[in-house]
Amino acid sequence: MKRFILGTLALAGVAALLVGCGNGGDGTRVIGFSQCNSAEPWREAMNKELEAAAKKYDDVDLRIVDAQQDNSKQVADVENFITMEVDVLIISPNEAKPLTAVVERAYDAGIPVIVLDRKIASDKFTTYIGADNELIGEAAGKYAAEALGGKGKVVEIWGLKGSTPAQERHDGFMRGIAEYPEIDIIYEQDGAWLRQRGKEIMENALQRFEEIDLAYGHNDPMAFGARIAAEEANRAGDMIFVGIDGLPGAEGGAQAVADGMLDATFVYPTGGEKAIEIARDILAGKDVPKSVTLETARVDSTNADQYK
Ligand code: FRU
């Protein structure tokens, strides 16, 4: 008897969970967001933007899970959302390939999927939202060429190589400097998007090369880390530091430009608000675009005050 009661309670629990997921009584719709790593300023900002946008609607229940930069954890997180039968899945995949199959599974199970900022290696999703990372990389390359007067030695600190913005920001940069054969990338390493890794990579570069004219970080934290390394080696003086993200706020890249710690950055919006808007459209049965391109902007000493 006891076992029967426990079994029934367990079943009721599962049922409550499933009902909680949208298809049930009170009309609340569950949006599951699989975040690749919440422990970065830009991702914190993304979570906050999503939460603020979701809060505007009484019938939206946003659930955020953090994969902590771990592909297998993120696969498990998405599997949970599939089991829960969330009404919409939003995902910012840590790396493209390891997350592709599970996102396809969600999509094939009939769950609308919004891919945010980083891409997967498949068309099986509903909408992709993000700024054009190749264009941003190209703008960074053009800025570098301008700032260097067409000639100089560059250290490039990559984002996590298996994540699409890293490859795109690299490809774009190469296009931006293509007309300048005297700009050399003398050292490039994967900094995994992390400030500390950016600092270590720059420390290595500083030890190996007597001349470094510019450090290009695929995001602001890594560019900032490079700046700190150069300062500690007393070599930051004439060096140029370029990042991407341009986050507002005291710790953000725009402030770093205003303070002269970075020379330029490029705004990379998190897309949180847009993602909730698209999710709402999907839930309302509206047609949504396959791709939404967010705006970017160059932030340098002339306009940093506007963006900080
Ligand atoms: C945060 C972050 C941002 C970067 C984006 C690229 O995880 O590294 O700094 O712009 O991801 O996906």
Side-chain angles (χ1 to χ4, degrees), residues 36-37 40 42-43 117-118 133 163 165 169 193 218-221 244-245 268:
C36 56
N37 180 30
E40 281 169 81
W42 188 86
R43 301 231 161 249
D117 141 62
R118 299 183 188 174
N133 281 299
S163 65
R169 289 174 190 185
W193 301 115
H218 288 186
N219 70 1
D220 289 340
I244 293 169
D245 278 348
Y268 187 59

Side-chain angles (χ1 to χ4, degrees), residues 76-227:
D77 289 345
V78 174
E79 267 161 2
N80 274 338
F81 280 145
I82 297 174
T83 311
M84 279 170 66
E85 297 180 11
V86 292
D87 296 294
V88 177
L89 169 70
I90 305 176
I91 178 166
S92 214
N94 187 47
E95 290 185 281
K97 283 203 184 118
L99 270 307
T100 296
V102 79
V103 170
E104 289 184 327
R105 266 201 307 283
Y107 187 76
D108 286 340
I111 299 175
V113 178
I114 299 174
V115 177
L116 193 52
D117 141 62
R118 299 183 188 174
K119 296 173 184 159
I120 54 164
S122 162
D123 288 340
K124 284 196 172 180
F125 58 85
T126 312
T127 299
Y128 168 77
I129 302 172
D132 184 334
N133 281 299
E134 277 206 41
L135 200 81
I136 291 175
E138 187 175 347
K142 286 187 175 149
Y143 174 86
E146 202 180 296
L148 289 168
K151 183 178 167 149
K153 304 208 182 302
V154 174
V155 170
E156 180 178 8
I157 305 169
W158 280 64
L160 192 64
K161 282 208 172 156
S163 65
T164 52
Q167 189 62 52
E168 292 163 349
R169 289 174 190 185
H170 168 79
D171 294 347
F173 190 84
M174 297 312 283
R175 219 187 305 135
I177 60 167
E179 284 165 29
Y180 305 91
E182 287 181 290
I183 296 181
D184 276 344
I185 301 203
I186 52 169
Y187 192 63
E188 49 180 304
Q189 291 284 318
D190 185 342
W193 301 115
L194 302 173
R195 174 170 160 170
Q196 182 56 26
R197 286 287 300 131
K199 180 166 182 268
E200 288 159 11
I201 287 166
M202 191 65 177
E203 282 163 1
N204 290 340
L206 288 160
Q207 268 172 19
R208 291 171 63 151
F209 301 97
E210 256 168 44
E211 186 193 336
I212 299 172
D213 302 305
L214 184 145
Y216 166 47
H218 288 186
N219 70 1
D220 289 340
M222 296 190 297
F224 198 83
R227 164 96 203 189

